[in-house]
């Protein structure tokens, strides 16, 4: 009995400890059951977060779509900025006139390259006619000279010798003539023999031939009768003075001598003079276009950008095809009194072939470039706006409209450049590049 009580006393603390452990275990198992509930709650939170995230994405998407729509609206407003607001009174004061597109004929044209050349009959390459030394120069490159103007003075021993020969021949002729006259008087008085008369006649003929030969040599180097008649009265040293003169009026484009330089007859030109008041325009005609080109057709010459430089008609089509370029040459003799065309310049030739056709057309001045687009201005309720068009051939101040403007539709016929300038000014102020 005592022994049992003793074991009971020993086991009681152990039982109490086990009971406590069981309670802890029970609490622990209860705590262990809590996490699943917490996990369920976390799942619910995650689901809610996803819903909120999706809601936020949808909101962002709406905002983004709204931003894109807003951006598109802004761009649309930018396009709407290509507009000039003007009242009818303001437009009239600015010289803006409207008209309606009409149907008319625009002649068919060929557009071909052309080169401006000197008229070969209006170019002078001046060389001295005698050998000499350049003593004085009267003209230089860029000078405008008249026909017969003195370009240079030479000192020439050759010329002095030719003039001396002429004077000697002239003197011999005069003596022979006087001798002949004396013999004729004696013959009439029956004082001299006929043989003496015939001898005097022969001497005079020889002297006359000698004088004519000397004179012709001087004529060959440009010495005229006016100079020859005054040779006997010429000052000392003047016989050696030779003058180089301009054979035609024009501009000196080259001078290749200096003072003191020795030049020779028949050598390289010392002056080149051109008269470009009339020039040749040689058009390169491709062989497939030869059948469309003929004499008498009207040609307009334009530089890059469309500016008209001159007009003319084809004078002839040369009957030779260049082997290298496979083109023929149509030549136009162009009046160049205003000196717009320069020899060596390349231009565009527009040949009116006469193949007209009815098209919608507007005056060429009504067409402008707006933001690198070919356009015409059309009226709106409160002003004017540019409209892009596609153009075709141009002739006689009119341009074909292929698309963008219909027949009888209103457009700005006068003042398009004024509207373009105003449009660019407004755009610059708005910070919008046109």
């Amino acid at each position: 009995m005592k022994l049992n009580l003793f074991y009971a006393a020993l086991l009681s603390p152990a039982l109490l400890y086990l009971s406590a452990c069981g309670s802890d275990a029970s609490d622990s198992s209860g705590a262990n059951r809590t996490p699943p509930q917490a996990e369920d709650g976390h799942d619910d939170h995650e689901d809610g977060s996803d819903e909120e995230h999706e809601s936020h994405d949808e909101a962002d998407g709406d905002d983004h779509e709204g931003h894109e729509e807003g951006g598109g609206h802004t761009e649309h407003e930018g396009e709407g900025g290509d507009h000039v607001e003007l009242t009818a009174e303001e437009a009239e004061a600015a010289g803006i006139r409207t008209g309606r597109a009409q149907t008319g004929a625009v002649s068919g044209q060929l557009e071909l390259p052309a080169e401006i050349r000197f008229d070969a009959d209006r170019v002078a390459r001046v060389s001295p006619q005698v050998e000499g030394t350049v003593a004085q120069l009267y003209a230089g490159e860029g000078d405008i000279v008249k026909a017969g103007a003195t370009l240079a003075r030479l000192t020439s021993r050759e010329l002095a010798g030719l003039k001396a020969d002429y004077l000697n021949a002239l003197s011999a002729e005069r003596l022979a003539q006087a001798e002949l006259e004396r013999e004729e008087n004696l013959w009439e008085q029956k004082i001299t023999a006929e043989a003496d008369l015939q001898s005097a006649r022969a001497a005079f003929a020889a002297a006359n031939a000698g004088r004519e030969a000397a004179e012709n040599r001087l004529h060959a180097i440009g010495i005229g009768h006016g100079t020859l008649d005054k040779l006997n009265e010429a000052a000392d040293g003047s016989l050696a003075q030779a003058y180089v003169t301009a054979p035609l009026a024009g501009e000196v484009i080259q001078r290749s001598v200096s003072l003191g330089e020795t030049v020779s007859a028949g050598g390289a030109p010392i002056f080149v003079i051109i008269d470009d008041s009339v020039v040749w325009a040689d058009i390169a005609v491709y062989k497939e276009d030869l059948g469309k080109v003929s004499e008498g057709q009207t040609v307009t010459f334009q530089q890059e950008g469309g500016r008209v430089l001159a007009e003319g008609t084809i004078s002839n089509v040369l009957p030779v095809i260049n082997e290298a370029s496979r083109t023929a040459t149509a030549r136009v003799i162009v009046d160049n009194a205003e000196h717009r065309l320069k020899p060596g310049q390349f231009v565009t030739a527009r040949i009116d072939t006469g193949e007209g056709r009815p098209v919608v057309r507007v005056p060429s001045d009504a067409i402008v470039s707006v933001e690198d687009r070919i356009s015409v201005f059309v009226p709106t309720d409160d002003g004017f706006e540019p409209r892009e068009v596609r153009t075709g051939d141009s002739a006689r101040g009119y341009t074909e409209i292929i698309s963008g403007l219909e027949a009888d539709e209103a457009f700005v016929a006068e003042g398009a450049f004024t509207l373009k300038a105003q449009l660019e000014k407004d755009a610059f102020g708005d910070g919008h590049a046109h």
Side-chain angles (χ1 to χ4, degrees), residues 184-265:
E184 287 177 342
N185 287 332
L186 292 174
W187 170 255
E188 289 177 356
Q189 298 175 15
K190 306 297 182 178
I191 298 175
T192 187
E194 183 179 357
D196 293 336
L197 177 59
Q198 296 298 332
S199 177
R201 288 175 176 172
F204 173 75
N208 179 261
R211 191 269 308 165
E212 288 185 351
E215 181 179 338
N216 288 332
R217 285 193 292 270
L218 289 172
H219 287 327
I221 60 173
I223 305 298
H225 284 286
T227 301
L228 294 179
D229 294 341
K230 298 177 182 179
L231 282 182
N232 283 328
E233 303 173 0
D236 291 343
S238 63
L239 294 182
Q241 304 303 312
Y243 296 91
V244 180
T245 58
L248 54 78
E251 181 179 355
V252 178
I253 64 169
Q254 181 181 338
R255 190 188 78 184
S256 57
V257 293
S258 302
L259 289 174
E261 187 173 346
T262 299
V263 294
S264 59

Side-chain angles (χ1 to χ4, degrees), residues 78-163:
E79 291 177 355
D82 289 343
H83 181 271
V84 179
E85 292 186 5
L86 287 177
T87 64
E89 292 77 11
E90 291 172 337
E92 183 177 358
I96 297 169
R97 305 287 183 271
T98 60
R100 293 194 175 274
Q102 297 179 350
T103 300
V106 174
S107 297
Q109 290 188 336
L110 282 177
E111 189 171 299
L112 299 172
E115 180 182 1
I116 306 303
R117 298 179 53 200
F118 293 120
D119 183 338
D121 296 331
R122 297 172 182 265
V123 179
R125 293 176 172 84
V126 185
S127 298
Q129 296 177 314
V130 292
E131 182 179 347
T133 302
V134 179
Q136 192 170 359
L137 293 167
Y138 299 99
E141 293 178 357
D143 290 345
I144 305 298
V145 296
K146 296 180 179 180
T150 301
L151 304 176
R153 177 172 61 84
L154 310 179
T155 300
S156 173
R157 288 181 292 179
E158 178 186 357
L159 179 61
L162 291 173
K163 288 180 177 179

Side-chain angles (χ1 to χ4, degrees), residues 12 44 59 82 95 100 129 170 186 196 246 273 314 319 342 397 400:
S12 293
D44 294 338
D82 289 343
R100 293 194 175 274
Q129 296 177 314
L170 181 62
L186 292 174
D196 293 336
I273 303 172
I314 297 176
K342 305 296 182 183
E400 174 189 2

Side-chain angles (χ1 to χ4, degrees), residues 36-114:
Q37 295 176 356
E39 289 174 2
D40 292 339
H42 181 68
D43 290 340
D44 294 338
H45 176 70
E46 288 180 352
D47 292 340
S49 298
D50 291 340
E51 291 175 0
E52 290 177 1
H53 184 68
E54 290 175 0
S55 174
H56 179 69
D57 288 345
E58 290 175 0
D60 288 345
D62 293 339
D63 291 343
H64 183 66
E65 290 176 1
H67 179 70
E68 289 180 349
E69 291 175 0
H73 181 66
T74 301
E75 184 179 355
H76 178 69
E77 289 180 351
E79 291 177 355
D82 289 343
H83 181 271
V84 179
E85 292 186 5
L86 287 177
T87 64
E89 292 77 11
E90 291 172 337
E92 183 177 358
I96 297 169
R97 305 287 183 271
T98 60
R100 293 194 175 274
Q102 297 179 350
T103 300
V106 174
S107 297
Q109 290 188 336
L110 282 177
E111 189 171 299
L112 299 172

